[in-house]
């Protein structure tokens, strides 16, 4: 089965084989060494982060990493402004509420990006806002947030950015100080092509050394992880060891393939191949090309077919696609271009799309 859902992704044979690499104990030095090496490599993937940001690894899905980031770095006595233009922005607001952290939410329509003028107006009105929580790639629609603009605004106003980069890390450009980035959260099993179970948070040296916030959680308190992972590589709790093995191989494959820029180019090629077929079938994108990521696209469902039929027929042909969420559930379908997808599989997908959509 080829997975075209936004994570977990189809694994390469080498990454899948790594899941069964060995019986290791997380309290032994070989695992500590693996953890240290992974953290080093994760902070080196995006050059702008290599010097000034440190990674810690935890076990859990991308949501665990986002929640750990907010629990550990969103302030207790100042306010975090959350930009919510989709499911994942809304989820960050829910996390801050669950952790009892002061926050405001700027909601916007899902098919539009964050309204920068509204952000400025809120910052003018609420001097207590010192942090901004945003989603880099809002997987709900496939929108890539314009962090060039938003980051500049943060820097100019001294606002620290907490970024959900779960579905962009490893495939879209990421800047550090230029965006006033305090921390970002990401996962092994999206653009890095690893297995589910390992996720991580990169934060600046100052963020790790700055005053600790009340994490409101034992398991998600990143400072505990940082203290031991940075010194010795050990983790406070049992890690998802097979997922760490898989990430090790996945990062080796990413490096061998030429890093994140090559991965972005690869995704763009895949999008171009599939989209030429969809266009010929009259299927259109939800968002303009320049507003979308390279990772995932939302397409308007043709009137001739329901999502369920499209999904089931494509699944029978060996491909798992993804539904729209919320109000978009009956309007769009989503295709993600991450993971191991051979050229021949992509051609089979094109054939299946032609048969299913043209035949509907
Ligand atoms: C996938 C994703 C997450 C986390 O989802 P999990 O199911 O917990 O891995 C968070 N944010 C974004 C933008 C995502 O795409």
């Amino acid at each position: 089965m080829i997975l075209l859902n936004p994570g977990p992704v189809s694994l390469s044979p080498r990454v899948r084989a790594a899941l069964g690499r060995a019986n290791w104990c997380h309290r032994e030095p070989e695992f500590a060494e693996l953890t240290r090496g992974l953290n080093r490599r994760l902070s080196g993937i995006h050059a702008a982060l290599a010097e000034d940001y440190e990674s810690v690894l935890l076990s859990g899905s991308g949501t665990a990493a986002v929640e750990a980031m907010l629990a550990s770095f969103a302030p207790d006595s100042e306010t975090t402004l959350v930009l919510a233009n989709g499911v994942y922005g809304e989820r960050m607001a829910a996390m801050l509420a669950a952790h009892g952290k002061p926050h405001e939410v700027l909601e916007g329509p899902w098919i539009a990006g964050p309204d920068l003028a509204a952000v400025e107006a809120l910052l003018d009105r609420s001097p207590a806002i010192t942090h901004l929580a945003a989603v880099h790639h809002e997987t709900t629609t496939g929108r890539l947030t314009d962090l060039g603009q938003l980051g500049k605004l943060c820097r100019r106003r001294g606002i620290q950015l907490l970024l959900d980069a779960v579905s962009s890390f490893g495939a879209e450009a990421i800047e550090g100080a230029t965006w006033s980035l305090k921390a970002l959260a990401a996962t092994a099993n999206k653009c890095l092509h690893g297995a589910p179970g390992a996720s991580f948070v990169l934060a600046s040296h100052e963020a790790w050394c700055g005053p600790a916030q009340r994490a409101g959680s034992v398991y998600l308190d990143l400072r505990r992880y940082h203290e031991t992972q940075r010194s010795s590589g050990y983790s406070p709790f049992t890690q998802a060891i097979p997922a760490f093995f898989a990430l090790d191989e996945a990062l080796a494959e990413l490096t061998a393939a030429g890093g994140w820029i090559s991965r972005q180019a690869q995704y763009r090629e895949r999008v171009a191949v599939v989209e030429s077929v969809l266009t010929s079938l009259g299927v259109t994108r939800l968002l303009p090309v320049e507003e979308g990521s390279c990772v995932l696209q939302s397409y308007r469902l043709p009137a001739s077919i329901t999502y369920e039929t499209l999904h089931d027929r494509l699944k029978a042909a060996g491909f798992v696609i993804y539904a729209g969420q919320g109000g978009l559930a009956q309007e769009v379908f989503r295709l993600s271009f991450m993971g191991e997808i051979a050229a021949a599989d992509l051609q089979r997908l094109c054939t299946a799309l032609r048969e299913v959509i043209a035949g509907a």
Side-chain angles (χ1 to χ4, degrees), residues 198-209:
S199 55
F200 56 95
V201 173
L202 261 70
S204 67
H205 298 308
E206 292 100 82
W208 289 121
C209 301

Side-chain angles (χ1 to χ4, degrees), residues 6 61-64 66 88 91 135 137-139 164 166-167 189-190:
S61 78
T63 303
V66 176
Y88 297 101
R91 191 179 288 173
V135 180
H137 169 216
E138 187 43 92
T139 321
D164 172 344
V166 173
S167 62
N189 68 277
K190 292 205 183 183

Side-chain angles (χ1 to χ4, degrees), residues 4 8 21 75 98 106 108 110 148 171 173 182 189 193 211 224 246 255 277 295 331 333 348 355:
L4 304 171
R21 190 191 280 176
L106 182 61
W110 283 9
K182 183 176 192 177
N189 68 277
H193 298 186
R224 285 181 77 141
T255 305
V277 172
V295 174
E331 272 183 54
F333 64 99
R348 279 199 304 116
E355 284 173 6

Side-chain angles (χ1 to χ4, degrees), residues 24-27 31 58-59 219 225 235-241 244:
W24 274 16
C25 170
H26 69 294
R27 298 273 178 230
F31 184 70
L58 68 158
S59 293
Y219 191 72
Y225 291 77
S235 295
F237 315 108
T238 308
Q239 294 279 25
I241 294 171
F244 280 47

